[in-house]
Amino acid sequence: MEEFKYLVPEESIDAAGFDGVRLRTIEQSLRDVFTAHHYEELMLPTFEYLNLYNGLAVDESTMFQFTNFEGKRIALRTDFTVPIARLYNNENTNAVRRYSYFGNVYQTQERHKGRDSESFQGGVELIGLPGIKGDLECLSLIQETMPLLELNNLKLELSSAKFYRRLMSIVGDRSLIDIIDKKKLSEMQKFVARHNIQGELKDLLLYLPHAFGDITILKKMKTLACDDRLYEAVDELETLYDALTYKDNIIFDLCKVPRQSYYTGILINCYSYYSAQPILSGGRYDNLLNYFDNNVPSIGFVYHLNNVMNAITKEREAND
Amino acid sequence: MIKIAITKGRIEKQVCRMLEAKGFDMAPIFNKNRELQIETSDGLSMIFAKSNDVLTFLEHGIVDVGFVGSDTMLESDFDDYYEMLDLDVGKCYFALAAYPEYRTKTFNRRKKIASKYTKVAKNYFASKQEDVEIIKLEGSVELGPVVGLSDAIVDIVETGSTLKANGLEVIEEICDISTRMIVNRVSLKFKKDEIFRLINALKKEDAENA
């Protein structure tokens, strides 16, 4: 038999591994909540100019790309946030807009690593609503939709891009990025010694790789924040926490590097005990619209539904 | 219960000895025969694997914690984990090595470099802004210059005695290598206390108590 009759390309996801009915049921229950909160569902193009993403530090080598009839480079979309920002910008408005979306995104992965190049996402963007008001609306929406996933052991994590960026500007050495990102305890000690950092900043840096966990971490970090803007960033997280009605599974991580260059405020991740990758990610991006020469504060989040589906399968297996 | 993957052989022995010194019950490990998975009375579930596979198990969330040499980490394309501790054991270094003439010889062509660690070799020469041809050898890389396949090698150097026995010498040290404790990003969020119990047992005594 010829190969194509039984093989799929390595890039493809395993169609048989997914319970399609369950996926669509979860999708529909998320859609119902998004719609009830007046989020307008968008259908977005699969093909984009590669340059749309290029200016935003998306690694070009991870995009599926080809050349179109104009001789321009086209890529399969790698996310929904950037195309939605473009769409909003074309409206020439500063009004508040609520958008939702469901669909696949495409990004190549290392070979033989068991990661999907094609992944199914569902999420929202809340554009034009600044500060804590927008943050709270998004977090409430997450807390309302998380129980729809049929997963029990979940943690919702809040971090701060503002804290990270302020710390980087105080320290001013880019080698700190990797130390923070990988929580390198040993390396941080060497870093502090090598730069002869003393006093409050030394205490803060040495503690940083431990700076994650429940609400007590914020109290601790407030005593260590040696700068008004660092303190403010931690205080913002605490204010948000206080305003949330449901606090049980909330955790924090202040030793965190934002995954996207356009994140400015809170960063949101949701973890399942049964998934090695987050099942939800998002955050505030008040500068992304600047990229389109329009200054509008925004926030959004996305469910990584492949990871959700895999976690559901594993959690059920574990509980059987 | 924390699940741990340890690189078989020397790293396994070093890490288990360090844990034993801190009062962990390591007898089941020292007395094992050919079992690949063992549980200790301290709630550690350990598997023993080849170095690259330690990264693979960690990446897939099969284990929470891995012990592996930084040489393996540098050569791997996967780095989506927390690298919490440098255990300061298993120390050696990557080096460029060749016959002494290499230093002064003028090459009117691309140099040929043999290595098992092609990514490390490539990054090293990229940092020198030098274009070279890299040839992959799986073992006894010193053979490269000896049989005339390559002009130099990039390899791990411990004592340097193999190099010396073959008339080769270190041209330049590239970077230090040691054993690291790495942690799955999601595991750390769910098992912070258990994992820190392990970290606190393994981190250096004189280290600052943050």
Side-chain angles (χ1 to χ4, degrees):
Chain A
M1 195 160 49
E2 297 98 319
E3 276 191 347
F4 68 85
K5 291 184 177 167
Y6 61 97
L7 288 181
V8 294
E10 264 183 45
E11 290 81 1
S12 304
I13 52 171
D14 175 11
F18 266 20
D19 180 343
V21 176
R22 179 175 293 147
L23 174 64
R24 291 301 184 198
T25 308
I26 290 172
E27 177 188 340
Q28 190 54 42
S29 60
L30 291 175
R31 177 177 289 119
D32 290 344
V33 176
F34 295 162
T35 309
H37 290 277
H38 310 292
Y39 283 79
E40 179 195 348
E41 184 168 348
L42 297 174
M43 296 291 288
L44 290 150
T46 312
F47 307 118
E48 293 286 355
Y49 282 121
L50 185 126
N51 285 340
L52 174 72
Y53 291 106
N54 234 356
L56 293 166
V58 177
D59 186 356
E60 190 178 307
S61 66
T62 66
M63 293 189 222
F64 287 91
Q65 46 179 299
F66 56 92
T67 315
N68 78 346
F69 71 96
E70 305 165 281
K72 289 190 174 156
R73 293 198 293 164
I74 304 289
L76 298 190
R77 65 184 172 214
T78 61
D79 83 340
F80 287 95
T81 305
V82 178
I84 289 177
R86 178 196 54 207
L87 188 104
Y88 178 87
N89 190 52
N90 290 344
E91 280 191 50
N92 272 321
T93 172
N94 288 315
V96 176
R97 288 276 187 271
R98 293 176 172 81
Y99 297 118
S100 70
Y101 56 83
F102 291 90
N104 286 324
V105 296
Y106 305 88
Q107 214 159 359
T108 63
Q109 303 287 340
E110 297 298 340
R111 292 186 63 210
H112 303 153
K113 291 290 185 185
R115 294 212 174 180
D116 297 329
S117 295
E118 177 174 5
S119 51
F120 191 60
Q121 298 192 332
V124 304
E125 309 295 343
L126 171 53
I127 306 181
L129 199 57
I132 187 162
K133 217 173 156 199
D135 294 355
L136 267 181
E137 179 174 330
C138 249
L139 286 172
S140 308
L141 201 53
I142 292 172
Q143 293 199 315
E144 191 177 339
T145 45
M146 268 168 67
L148 305 173
L149 301 179
E150 305 177 27
L151 286 168
N152 295 313
N153 207 346
L154 295 177
K155 284 190 192 293
L156 181 58
E157 178 191 81
L158 303 182
S159 317
S160 171
K162 194 185 261 182
F163 184 90
Y164 163 79
R165 296 202 199 289
R166 178 61 186 158
L167 187 65
M168 285 309 296
S169 77
I170 293 172
V171 177
D173 181 336
R174 296 183 59 80
S175 64
L176 188 62
I177 299 175
D178 191 48
I179 298 177
I180 295 179
D181 183 47
K182 298 217 172 97
K183 298 198 199 306
K184 294 183 171 180
L185 281 165
S186 311
E187 205 57 44
M188 185 68 100
Q189 286 165 356
K190 287 178 202 158
F191 182 88
V192 166
R194 190 165 66 237
H195 288 69
N196 197 21
I197 297 170
Q198 297 295 337
E200 289 177 317
L201 185 58
K202 176 181 175 183
D203 295 341
L204 172 66
L205 288 177
L206 289 179
Y207 185 73
L208 201 59
H210 305 77
F212 62 98
D214 62 16
I215 183 71
T216 56
I217 283 298
L218 295 190
K219 316 268 183 213
K220 171 83 181 172
M221 287 306 281
K222 275 183 153 181
T223 67
L224 286 168
C226 51
D227 168 271
D228 286 350
R229 280 160 69 186
L230 288 176
Y231 185 90
E232 199 183 291
V234 181
D235 193 50
E236 272 177 22
L237 292 181
E238 199 176 6
T239 310
L240 271 176
Y241 178 83
D242 289 340
L244 288 172
T245 39
Y246 184 68
K247 307 177 202 283
D248 272 7
N249 56 3
I250 306 279
I251 54 170
F252 301 90
D253 188 351
L254 284 160
C255 188
K256 184 120 187 154
V257 177
R259 287 284 155 199
Q260 304 289 351
S261 57
Y262 51 72
Y263 282 133
T264 52
I266 61 160
L267 304 167
I268 311 166
N269 281 285
C270 181
Y271 303 104
S272 156
Y273 185 79
Y274 297 98
S275 171
Q277 278 108 50
I279 60 157
L280 173 146
S281 56
R284 174 161 287 286
Y285 52 96
D286 289 349
N287 293 341
L288 177 57
L289 268 295
N290 289 358
Y291 177 64
F292 298 98
D293 307 318
N294 188 354
N295 190 8
V296 182
S298 314
I299 184 167
F301 67 82
V302 54
Y303 279 108
H304 304 288
L305 292 164
N306 293 33
N307 297 344
V308 169
M309 296 304 291
N310 291 332
I312 291 174
T313 310
K314 278 196 188 161
E315 185 166 301
R316 295 198 171 196
E317 279 170 12
N319 294 333
D320 273 349
Chain B
M1 168 80 71
I2 4 182
K3 290 171 279 179
I4 302 174
I6 304 190
T7 307
K8 278 195 287 197
R10 198 173 52 173
I11 289 177
E12 165 190 342
K13 287 194 186 77
Q14 284 163 344
V15 171
C16 290
R17 255 186 251 123
M18 286 171 86
L19 286 172
E20 189 186 35
K22 293 289 174 171
F24 282 79
D25 169 28
M26 289 290 124
I29 313 286
F30 294 129
N31 299 331
K32 76 180 163 89
N33 291 315
R34 301 184 76 92
E35 303 97 304
L36 295 171
Q37 180 163 19
I38 289 186
E39 277 181 30
T40 75
S41 55
D42 299 294
L44 307 180
S45 170
M46 298 201 170
I47 58 173
F48 306 92
K50 281 199 79 159
S51 54
N52 272 314
D53 299 342
V54 169
L55 293 181
T56 305
F57 288 125
L58 189 94
E59 169 181 10
H60 285 254
I62 304 297
V63 297
D64 307 313
V65 172
F67 291 97
V68 67
S70 55
D71 52 330
T72 306
M73 293 157 63
L74 285 168
E75 188 62 22
S76 165
D77 290 323
F78 169 72
D79 67 344
D80 195 12
Y81 44 70
Y82 294 129
E83 184 189 328
M84 303 200 64
L85 281 185
D86 179 345
L87 297 185
D88 256 333
V89 296
K91 286 171 108 166
C92 46
Y93 60 94
F94 273 119
L96 177 71
Y99 289 122
E101 305 86 84
Y102 179 91
R103 295 177 195 275
T104 47
K105 189 172 170 186
T106 346
F107 292 87
N108 293 318
R109 54 172 175 80
R110 289 167 94 201
K111 290 173 191 164
K112 290 181 182 173
I113 309 296
S115 187
K116 187 182 170 189
Y117 298 87
T118 52
K119 188 177 167 188
V120 173
K122 193 177 165 196
N123 289 343
Y124 167 72
F125 282 100
S127 76
K128 302 244 145 198
Q129 300 191 339
E130 200 177 330
D131 179 39
V132 298
E133 179 182 346
I134 290 165
I135 299 169
K136 171 134 188 173
L137 288 179
E138 293 291 345
S140 302
V141 181
E142 295 83 0
L143 277 173
V146 171
V147 300
L149 175 68
S150 74
D151 302 305
I153 61 173
V154 166
D155 204 11
I156 295 173
V157 181
E158 276 175 77
T159 58
S161 51
T162 314
L163 292 179
K164 207 173 166 191
N166 291 288
L168 302 168
E169 63 180 46
V170 171
I171 304 293
E172 189 175 6
E173 293 185 17
I174 297 176
C175 68
D176 290 327
I177 297 169
S178 58
T179 303
R180 308 291 162 96
M181 170 176 168
I182 58 176
V183 181
N184 177 280
R185 284 180 184 264
V186 173
S187 297
L188 188 67
K189 313 284 168 157
F190 284 90
K191 300 179 177 177
K192 181 179 180 183
D193 292 344
E194 287 169 276
I195 290 172
F196 264 95
R197 186 173 149 242
L198 207 58
I199 288 173
N200 290 330
L202 290 172
K203 77 177 175 197
K204 271 194 291 179
E205 299 281 339
D206 55 13
E208 192 91 19
N209 235 331

